[in-house]
Structures are given as C-alpha cells and as structure tokens.
Amino acid sequence: AGLFKLFFRENQDGLIPRNMYKAFTSNNCRAAGAGAAADKRAPCVAVLKTLVAQLPLLNQICLGYLVHMLLKISQHAGVNKMFPKNCAMVLAPNVFRAAKSPHPQGLFSNAKDENIYASPQQMAEALAEQEAILLIMIEHFAEIFPRGSPYP
C-alpha cells in the first residue's frame, strides 16, 4: 500500500486531475455512502460513471486497475481486515490529491494555495467525501467501470 500511495502522491496531477476535482467532490456522495439505500446511491453512481468516462484514458485505466485491486483486497476482508471502507480510507487522499510536499503540513498548505480548503474542518469534510467516492467506486465497480475487470 505504501508504494501505491507514494506513486499516486508523487504523480503531478493525481488520478483525478485537479481540473476535475470539484466535479467529483461536489456530488455529495458522502450522503450516499455506507449504509445508504440503493435509491440514494444510484444518482451518485451514475454521476461517477460519467465523470470517470471523462477522465483522460490513461487515468481511466489506472483508476480502473486500482479500484479493481481494492475490490479484490476487500473480498478477503475476513482475513486481512481490509473492508471496502478501510481500502477507501487508506488510498482516497492519494487518488484525489497529489501533494507537492510529502509532509502533512505541506499537503494542507498546497490545498490552501488552491483555495480548496479554508479550514481544517473543511479539509476533514473533503477527505470524508473523497473516501465516500472511492468507497462507492469499489462497491459499484462493475457499474462505474463498464470495461469490467482489467485483469483476471
């Protein structure tokens, strides 16, 4: 996991490019997160499917591989304790944001420079939204990534 996190963190624009960040995070997928009824999740799944299709092809493929790998890992949660929510929590900040500084304070500073977070509370809310989005991608992989499994 550390190698994946480092790879995505060092990527200049991240898997979700900065210019698409707000489009992904402004859909209140957090309200459609874990435990939400299917009718609450359906609109978020549809929006995410559309947004993923708008990503550059390389980003789509890489994100598809990552989410599929997280799905496979979470299918063994009884042994490894990595339920979909845990997988999303660990990798979401690296998928949605490529920090210019490896230090936590640098991450917050970079975000403030881009006017994304005005306070620590906003940052926490944004991280929760990112986690919810990645969780929905894991749990609805087949719907959001119509190409299906990128590998056996």
Side-chain angles (χ1 to χ4, degrees):
L3 183 59
F4 277 113
K5 289 167 63 174
L6 179 63
F7 173 76
F8 295 126
R9 198 170 41 241
E10 294 295 322
N11 186 332
Q12 185 176 0
D13 206 20
L15 280 179
I16 307 299
R18 293 176 193 272
N19 66 341
M20 293 186 74
Y21 179 82
K22 287 191 186 228
F24 272 88
T25 58
S26 64
N27 298 298
N28 197 19
C29 288
R30 197 164 123 194
D39 62 328
K40 293 230 185 236
R41 282 187 156 210
C44 188
V45 170
V47 168
L48 289 176
K49 179 180 179 179
T50 301
L51 289 171
V52 166
Q54 294 173 7
L55 289 170
L57 184 59
L58 185 57
N59 294 51
Q60 285 180 41
I61 293 168
C62 195
L63 184 61
Y65 270 97
L66 174 66
V67 173
H68 189 262
M69 181 193 73
L70 296 175
L71 175 63
K72 289 290 193 187
I73 290 170
S74 68
Q75 289 172 342
H76 300 282
V79 176
N80 63 25
K81 308 294 186 224
M82 290 302 291
F83 295 91
K85 185 169 177 50
N86 295 349
C87 291
M89 185 186 328
V90 168
L91 283 169
N94 299 295
V95 169
F96 286 88
R97 174 147 302 307
K100 294 176 186 167
S101 168
H103 305 291
Q105 188 59 37
L107 174 65
F108 188 71
S109 297
N110 291 339
K112 284 179 76 173
D113 291 343
E114 295 169 12
N115 296 319
I116 293 175
Y117 311 121
S119 70
Q121 180 181 352
Q122 253 189 343
M123 183 178 186
E125 290 171 2
L127 290 172
E129 182 69 17
Q130 293 169 10
E131 180 185 322
I133 292 166
L134 191 55
L135 175 62
I136 290 171
M137 286 182 180
I138 295 167
E139 292 179 341
H140 295 272
F141 175 81
E143 298 164 69
I144 295 171
F145 297 90
R147 294 178 188 200
S149 173
Y151 52 85

